[in-house]
Amino acid sequence: MKNISIFEAMRFIFKIVDFIVVSNLYVAAGTFSLSWLTFQFYGSDNLVYPLFVFFSTLFAYNFMRLVRVKPMLEEGDSSRHKNIYRYRAYLWATCLLAAFTALFFFLQVDAIILNTLIVMGVISIAYSLPLYKNNGQWLRLRDLPFIKIFLIALVWTVVSTIIPMQIVQVPINWLKVLERFCFVLAITIPFDIRDLKFDSSELYTLPQVLGIKKSKYLGVSLLLVAEMILFYEYYFLNLYNLAGALAIYIAYEFAAVLVYKADTS
């Protein structure tokens, strides 16, 4: 009985982890953390905006997957898409709850950021939904050659750095924006590598153009640039204490390992 109980407990834990991955909770947690980190850097305890970012990310990523999961299953066999389809009822419920919660926090955000926020929202919608027609085929922004990964990095960077800077009403620190862009672009490369067998050859993603090995080298190089900016901010500008700088440096190093170990599975 004891062994059965342990087995059932482990299976329950694996199901929870599986749902966290499938539901993009970890992605939403990432955008929340990056936004919150920017506020902390400027001494602000604002939680309304990071929570808005969390729930809007949770809604957007789940919605993008749910509207595409059936066609993706028809295009190829993928355990990831099978899991999404299996959990689709729970994911739609999560999507709906996230949408209403995001709206609740949206009504509380500062009016000063609305224009920037609307632009990012339009880009996010156009990224996932077919909004224009070309040669009789409806296309999304992500279907345009070269720009898929750069759109993701752009939106994440603006949402997690520029908008928080606007909220706390400080001049835009473009060096910090560049550091964040390099980091986000680097950690997005493994997802392009994973999608290599599903993406159309006409997308010209980084792994398609450079190959997997060179894409990994590019990702690690981008993280090295982010680390150099971090060192400059710590040593020359005195913007961090030692503990804060080390924490971010360790995160960059951990990300570099993940990028280097990325594959198509």
Side-chain angles (χ1 to χ4, degrees), residues 61-79:
Y61 272 71
N62 278 301
F63 184 77
M64 283 189 289
R65 282 188 172 183
L66 286 166
V67 297
R68 283 285 297 157
V69 63
K70 196 168 183 180
M72 289 298 291
L73 279 174
E74 293 171 355
E75 291 171 14
D77 186 21
S78 166
S79 58

Side-chain angles (χ1 to χ4, degrees), residues 123-165:
I123 292 175
S124 299
I125 292 171
Y127 178 86
S128 58
L129 294 180
L131 296 178
Y132 64 97
K133 211 170 188 178
N134 183 38
N135 294 327
Q137 184 178 4
W138 286 95
L139 298 175
R140 305 158 295 174
L141 276 182
R142 63 168 289 158
D143 296 320
L144 293 176
F146 299 111
I147 70 170
K148 175 187 170 185
I149 192 173
F150 297 101
L151 275 178
I152 297 172
L154 171 67
V155 172
W156 271 55
T157 301
V158 172
V159 165
S160 67
T161 54
I162 292 180
I163 292 180
M165 290 174 189

Side-chain angles (χ1 to χ4, degrees), residues 209-224:
V209 175
L210 301 177
I212 293 177
K213 193 172 184 180
K214 289 182 179 178
S215 295
K216 291 181 182 181
Y217 289 157
L218 175 61
V220 173
S221 299
L222 287 167
L223 288 165
L224 179 60

Side-chain angles (χ1 to χ4, degrees), residues 46 48-49 105-119 163 166-169:
N46 186 309
V48 170
Y49 177 76
F105 286 111
F106 174 78
L107 296 175
Q108 301 179 58
V109 298
D110 297 271
I112 194 174
I113 68 168
L114 288 182
N115 289 338
T116 311
L117 207 55
I118 289 171
V119 172
I163 292 180
Q166 289 178 327
I167 292 174
V168 297
Q169 299 183 23

Side-chain angles (χ1 to χ4, degrees), residues 36-57:
W36 179 82
L37 186 64
T38 303
F39 282 113
Q40 289 297 300
F41 179 81
Y42 290 107
S44 172
D45 292 325
N46 186 309
L47 266 179
V48 170
Y49 177 76
L51 285 170
F52 164 74
V53 169
F54 174 87
F55 286 106
S56 57
T57 301

